[in-house]
Amino acid sequence: MTHQDLHIDIRGEQQEIAVIRLTRAKKRNAINDALILAIRDAFDGLPATVRAAVIDGEGEHFCAGLDLSELQERDAGQGLLHSRMWHAALERVQYGPVPVIAALHGAVVGGGLELASACHIRVADETTFYALPEGSRGIFVGGGGSVRIPRLIGAARMTDMMMTGRVISAAEGERIGLAQYLVPTGNAFDKAFELATRVATNAPLTNYALMHALPRIAEQPADQGFFTEAMMAAIAQSAPEAKKRVRDFLEGKAGTKVQKS
Ligand code: 1HE
């Protein structure tokens, strides 16, 4: 499966990891209409063997955001539909078939940060920097950033980034919650792949609960959240795979004892 600006490679002994790479390095992986649709189609079309995905960008930068050259000609109605097209594509990333680990380096800006924030785990190397230049370009986020980014770092920090053009460094990004992992320069992909390989060994229903139930529970009032949690817990623990995993642990057969890292 390959698109002009998006390369998809299925790896792993059981073909369980999809590596999805933005390959528009000449334009700093800026996302035009064709590319956002290719991202949508990539997540719709993953083979059934895939259990986790890594997304990264070719060249010096993860992603320079929206392709600004396509912005000039749109009227209000087209702008609305364009934003909704991004929402639909990034919805497939967040609520798609498998957990997605973003491997970040260089610029993670504008729509690039919106794409990264739709992923489940973000690994950044030391070259990474984050910004929301929409504020300086006279526009607003349109790829779900106003919903997802405040949930990672709070509305106050996002307001500051957009109002002042503040650029967040890799270290600060990890501290405030833009990335869960910070690794040395050049190591983001390997770490993301290692994590994806680990995530792929989870029971699929556990990953499903983490992707689909947890973010919804986090939005619910506590009483409803507790109830949804109980329903999800009951469904997850009734799966034969959960019973086998618990039995293996109790019989000392599981290699997944909790260890200090
Ligand atoms: C682009 C884009 C782009 C680069 N659209 N063409 N995003 C931004 O406002 C960020 C704009 N980009 C930058 O600030 C810089 O390009 C970077 C910091 C990411 C990288 O800098 P650098 O020095 O490595 O590259 P460059 O020389 O600026 O760019 C190389 C080429 O990529 C150049 O084209 P060329 O034909 O002159 O070689 C640039 O024009 C092109 N390029 N970024 C189009 N974004 C769903 S709504 C989301 C709203 C947004 O994302 S707004 C924020 C957009």
Side-chain angles (χ1 to χ4, degrees):
M1 278 187 287
T2 293
H3 172 272
Q4 185 190 336
D5 296 324
L6 192 72
H7 187 266
I8 302 163
D9 190 17
I10 307 299
R11 300 194 199 171
E13 272 173 32
Q14 264 108 46
Q15 305 277 284
E16 71 276 28
I17 311 289
V19 175
I20 299 173
R21 178 161 292 157
L22 308 176
T23 53
R24 202 176 178 228
K26 269 200 292 195
K27 295 290 179 184
R28 306 309 184 250
N29 296 320
I31 299 178
N32 56 19
D33 287 0
L35 184 49
I36 196 71
L37 292 174
I39 292 170
R40 181 197 65 188
D41 294 347
F43 284 90
D44 276 349
L46 289 179
T49 54
V50 170
R51 294 276 173 269
V54 174
I55 187 161
D56 78 345
E58 204 169 80
E60 300 292 299
H61 302 282
F62 173 70
C63 176
L66 177 71
D67 185 325
L68 293 168
S69 67
E70 286 190 350
L71 193 71
Q72 297 165 29
E73 307 301 330
R74 265 182 227 127
D75 66 20
Q78 290 164 332
L80 173 70
L81 295 178
H82 177 263
S83 171
R84 298 298 287 155
M85 179 171 76
W86 271 66
H87 292 164
L90 297 191
E91 200 262 350
R92 306 293 217 292
V93 178
Q94 182 175 8
Y95 293 120
V98 294
V100 186
I101 326 276
L104 306 178
H105 71 293
V108 181
V109 304
L113 180 52
E114 295 183 292
L115 168 61
S117 64
C119 299
H120 304 93
I121 299 177
R122 283 157 295 281
V123 179
D125 84 3
E126 284 164 352
T127 67
T128 305
F129 58 97
Y130 309 90
L132 290 169
E134 288 88 338
S136 320
R137 310 263 179 264
I139 54 177
F140 190 58
V141 283
S146 63
V147 173
R148 295 194 181 95
I149 297 168
R151 287 180 181 147
L152 296 177
I153 62 172
R157 286 198 180 94
M158 179 169 171
T159 304
D160 179 28
M161 286 174 78
M162 288 195 73
M163 274 188 177
T164 67
R166 181 167 177 171
V167 177
I168 307 278
S169 69
E172 194 179 359
E174 194 253 355
R175 185 176 62 77
I176 66 178
L178 281 172
Q180 292 101 319
Y181 294 84
L182 176 60
V183 296
T185 301
N187 286 10
F189 178 80
D190 286 351
K191 181 67 183 177
F193 193 85
E194 176 197 319
L195 292 170
T197 305
R198 169 68 181 81
V199 167
T201 65
N202 291 337
L205 205 50
T206 299
N207 283 340
Y208 185 88
L210 290 168
M211 291 174 63
H212 295 266
L214 180 59
R216 292 183 167 98
I217 292 170
E219 298 301 319
Q220 288 178 340
D223 181 55
Q224 288 174 30
F226 290 133
F227 192 75
T228 311
E229 178 186 275
M231 302 277 268
M232 191 66 242
I235 293 168
Q237 76 193 24
S238 73
E241 182 156 358
K243 294 190 194 308
K244 179 179 179 315
R245 284 172 182 244
V246 172
R247 202 168 48 242
D248 284 353
F249 173 78
L250 293 173
E251 291 170 4
K253 287 193 250 165
T256 55
K257 200 159 153 174
V258 178
Q259 310 258 8
K260 270 205 248 173
S261 60

